[in-house]
Amino acid sequence: MNSLGIDKRPADTRVVVAMSGGVDSSVTAALLHEQGYEVIGITLQLYDHGMALQKKGACCAGQDIYDARQVCDRLGIPHYVLDYESAFREAVIDDFADAYLRGETPIPCVRCNQRVKFRDLLQTARDLGGEVLATGHYVQRAMGPAGPELRRAVDPNRDQSYFLFATTGEQLDYLRFPLGGMEKPAVRALAQRFGLEVADKPDSQDICFVPTGRYGDVVQKLRPGAVEAGEIVHVDGTVLGRHDGVIHYTVGQRKGLGIGGRVESTDALYVVRIEPEAHRVVVGPREALAKPGVTLTEVNWLAAPDAGGIPVLVKLRSAMAPVPALVRATPAGASVSFDDPQYGVSPGQACVFYDRDSGERVLGGGWILREEQALAA
């Protein structure tokens, strides 16, 4: 059994590596090549980089494709570039724009992994005769009693398990994550040892196709005429001002509300909810953000729950510390009850479940619904 869990010699094991042009995927390819595997690099062109990006720290655009090719040339391995621009636009970019118009806060990186990289790319790797598909994600795959399990990375500052909650058990059978047990400084040191030109390249940004971090500009470009102005309303019904579109707001937001000097109270105000049908942004005090639980849709279970629910730890945002909760499966997805109320829960974000004992194993996750959607589910 080789290091990838395949009952073959490394030289007889073909590994396809997803290469974004960054340091992590480049080191992944170099490590596997050094270990004697037959490595093939694949890079996806996901968008028109002239339209979306001309900045450092982006993946799957022109410079990054060139960087991936340079790494493969140095290693002496084949490299293929596949045009997935149309699939990426439909599955990720269009979904991103429509989610903001629905008053949600989307996570396009999850959709990219779910609908492009771990679906279409995985199938391409199989077509190329790959025994496995390896990526540079910071997450661990471990064999458990019922098969492969998804676990948090060793480096808590780099862990990407939140973004991979939609990975299915079948996909985990085929995927490998060689960097999950390493810390980022060690990865950069390896890049230096391998002589890779990307060793000092900046890390990729979370949303690769947003040029400046101004999400609203991208939505307006993709959906011209769909963004409408409306009222900013206090939870008590008082109209406090107007906005240029709900796409510029997210639940829990405190700054940049556009109502400075129009509120008698000195208490800070937060976006409590967004009502896209009425083009209304509702604000209120922090206590109005408290939620006892959430309802989820499109739930991916990596461990089947008991009929009465299972106690877990959940993350509602990628950077938050996990909090205790009880999750129950429902016909439409799942319901989650927090042990303590949570603040700033944003529809469109993911709620990811981890085992209660260690907090390391990913048990599943789903997408948070708006309250009116939850009632209809």
Side-chain angles (χ1 to χ4, degrees):
M1 194 75 68
N2 62 37
S3 63
L4 296 178
I6 306 296
D7 192 17
K8 291 183 177 180
R9 296 185 310 136
D12 298 326
T13 306
R14 177 173 292 179
V15 180
V16 175
V17 178
M19 301 187 67
S20 67
V23 63
D24 298 325
S25 58
S26 297
V27 169
T28 297
L31 273 174
L32 294 171
H33 179 259
E34 182 181 61
Q35 293 169 11
Y37 292 98
E38 180 191 355
V39 179
I40 297 175
I42 291 186
T43 302
L44 303 183
Q45 179 175 320
L46 297 181
Y47 49 81
D48 178 352
H49 49 274
M51 173 198 78
L53 283 184
Q54 288 295 339
K55 70 169 185 176
K56 295 180 179 179
C59 69
C60 310
Q63 179 63 42
D64 304 285
I65 293 172
Y66 173 80
D67 289 342
R69 185 177 300 280
Q70 289 292 99
V71 169
C72 290
D73 287 347
R74 179 172 183 82
L75 298 175
I77 63 175
H79 178 244
Y80 301 100
V81 179
L82 305 180
D83 183 0
Y84 275 54
E85 186 176 331
S86 176
F88 184 72
R89 172 153 189 147
E90 293 175 7
V92 181
I93 298 180
D94 286 347
D95 178 81
F96 172 86
D98 293 338
Y100 266 106
L101 292 172
R102 294 193 301 266
E104 300 172 0
T105 306
I107 316 175
C109 294
V110 176
R111 290 301 193 192
C112 183
N113 290 324
Q114 179 184 29
R115 296 176 174 177
V116 180
K117 292 180 180 177
F118 290 174
R119 185 187 65 184
D120 298 342
L121 177 56
L122 191 145
Q123 183 56 53
T124 298
R126 292 186 188 278
D127 292 342
L128 287 171
E131 302 275 0
V132 298
L133 172 65
T135 79
H137 287 102
Y138 285 86
V139 70
Q140 295 189 89
R141 175 190 182 275
M143 291 303 297
E149 299 174 354
L150 185 65
R151 298 182 182 176
R152 291 165 60 93
V154 165
D155 187 342
N157 296 318
R158 302 298 304 175
D159 174 57
Q160 294 174 294
S161 60
Y162 178 86
F163 298 101
L164 298 181
F165 81 86
T167 307
T168 66
E170 181 182 3
Q171 291 167 343
L172 275 179
D173 278 336
Y174 192 64
L175 288 163
R176 299 295 188 275
F177 310 103
L179 305 188
M182 303 176 63
E183 296 187 346
K184 186 59 178 255
V187 173
R188 289 203 180 273
L190 281 173
Q192 293 283 2
R193 179 168 72 79
F194 289 129
L196 305 181
E197 293 186 5
V198 297
D200 297 320
K201 188 174 181 178
D203 292 332
S204 62
Q205 302 300 312
D206 282 347
I207 301 182
C208 61
F209 56 88
V210 179
T212 62
R214 295 169 60 90
Y215 308 146
D217 292 350
V218 174
V219 177
Q220 287 177 315
K221 183 175 182 179
L222 293 170
R223 297 291 184 269
V227 180
E228 296 188 29
E231 294 178 334
I232 302 174
V233 182
H234 194 277
V235 288
D236 66 8
T238 304
V239 177
L240 301 178
R242 291 187 62 79
H243 62 78
D244 294 328
V246 297
I247 62 172
H248 301 294
Y249 297 83
T250 186
V251 172
Q253 179 179 335
R254 177 181 174 182
K255 297 181 179 180
L257 301 185
I259 52 176
R262 289 178 247 181
V263 185
E264 293 182 4
S265 172
T266 58
D267 293 338
L269 293 178
Y270 300 78
V271 175
V272 173
R273 66 178 179 273
I274 295 172
E275 300 175 354
E277 294 83 3
H279 310 294
R280 186 182 296 124
V281 175
V282 181
V283 300
R286 184 175 185 273
E287 54 265 27
L289 288 170
K291 300 294 181 185
V294 290
T295 301
L296 309 179
T297 188
E298 294 184 57
V299 175
N300 178 53
W301 297 105
L302 289 173
D306 297 330
I310 52 174
V312 296
L313 297 175
V314 301
K315 292 183 70 170
L316 304 169
R317 296 175 300 280
S318 61
M320 75 173 285
V323 297
L326 182 72
V327 59
R328 299 179 179 88
T330 66
S335 64
V336 180
S337 302
F338 309 129
D339 286 17
D340 298 302
Q342 295 299 305
Y343 297 80
V345 178
S346 299
Q349 293 279 288
C351 176
V352 180
F353 326 136
Y354 297 84
D355 72 284
R356 177 75 74 102
D357 292 335
S358 70
E360 297 299 316
R361 183 185 175 192
V362 179
L363 304 180
W367 299 98
I368 300 171
L369 290 173
R370 289 191 288 129
E371 290 183 4
E372 56 268 36
Q373 295 171 320
L375 292 173

